[in-house]
Amino acid sequence: MASSIKDDDAALDPSTEPSSASKNKYKDPDDGKRRFLLELEFVQCLANPTYIHYLAQNRYFEDEAFIGYLKYLQYWQRPEYIKFIMYPHCLFFLELLQNANFRNAMAHPGNKELAHRQQYFFWKNYRNNRLKHILPRPLPEPAAPPAPAALPAPLPPIPVASPQASLPMQFAGQPGSSFPKVDMRNSMADRRKRKKEA
């Protein structure tokens, strides 16, 4: 018991071990991992216009300390931190939140919906837009002189048949045909007449 009282007194007395007490006083127990994850999560939440609208509605943007925190979070745009970002729109919105006009505008539901729609259309066309600018376009082939190709033989002229010339296939109802012209409408009418008469 006497030793535990001595230890407690030693812990309270700054003169006994000044170097170890002052070093550990402000040290994070997990070396800043928790802070890193919390800031990463908050920054990525900014990719959602509805969340920004929530912050504006609850007057977070009127607090100077919060505005300072948003300025501080701009370090996420540096290459050593940007590799942890999964939603790159959050960095775009973080940049826009530095402007007071944007912060005030996001308090209105119509502006929130507009930002949400624009974000949707960007995602809808993202792959095509990205491929247009990222994929290298193949260089044009050097123009080689065209090889002289044999010209195709001219087609024989098509003989124009006179109206009285016989065609390879005779159609019913034409002059010179032995088949009578059959009109389906008349034959149906004839059948109806026969049914009524009977």
Side-chain angles (χ1 to χ4, degrees):
M1 175 120 177
S3 65
S4 66
I5 294 174
K6 247 186 202 180
D7 293 337
D8 290 341
D9 289 340
L12 294 175
D13 186 18
S15 62
T16 57
E17 271 187 338
S19 60
S20 64
S22 63
K23 286 181 183 176
N24 292 332
K25 188 173 182 181
Y26 297 109
K27 184 162 173 60
D28 276 341
D30 59 354
D31 295 328
K33 291 177 187 174
R34 185 176 193 154
R35 178 179 170 186
F36 175 82
L37 291 175
L38 287 173
E39 289 179 358
L40 175 63
E41 183 178 0
F42 176 75
V43 167
Q44 292 193 103
C45 285
L46 295 178
N48 186 350
T50 305
Y51 182 65
I52 297 172
H53 176 70
Y54 166 81
L55 293 174
Q57 286 289 318
N58 290 304
R59 300 181 180 193
Y60 281 91
F61 297 142
E62 294 175 7
D63 184 11
E64 290 299 322
F66 191 77
I67 302 302
Y69 183 63
L70 290 174
K71 288 180 183 174
Y72 160 75
L73 288 175
Q74 286 186 309
Y75 75 87
W76 283 98
Q77 296 176 346
R78 296 200 314 241
E80 60 267 20
Y81 294 102
I82 202 167
K83 62 185 176 184
F84 297 106
I85 299 286
M86 293 179 66
Y87 307 106
H89 275 201
C90 67
L91 297 176
F92 177 72
F93 283 117
L94 180 63
E95 188 66 34
L96 288 176
L97 284 171
Q98 305 305 316
N99 185 345
N101 292 333
F102 179 77
R103 292 191 302 263
N104 293 335
M106 286 305 286
H108 302 288
N111 293 331
K112 174 198 64 146
E113 289 300 321
L114 176 67
H116 182 70
R117 265 185 276 131
Q118 293 300 319
Q119 189 177 45
Y120 166 76
F121 288 127
F122 178 82
W123 285 337
K124 182 179 176 185
N125 301 313
Y126 173 71
R127 184 172 187 274
N128 293 335
N129 292 342
R130 184 172 176 239
L131 292 178
K132 283 180 193 174
H133 299 293
I134 290 179
L135 289 179
R137 294 182 183 164
L139 295 174
E141 296 287 326
L151 294 175
L155 296 174
I158 299 174
V160 178
S162 66
Q164 297 166 352
S166 64
L167 296 172
M169 183 171 167
Q170 294 290 324
F171 294 102
Q174 287 188 354
S177 170
S178 59
F179 299 112
K181 182 177 181 182
V182 178
D183 187 6
M184 293 301 291
R185 290 176 287 175
N186 291 338
S187 65
M188 294 299 280
D190 291 338
R191 287 185 196 163
R192 287 186 204 133
K193 285 180 188 175
R194 284 187 223 141
K195 284 184 181 180
K196 287 182 185 177
E197 290 174 0

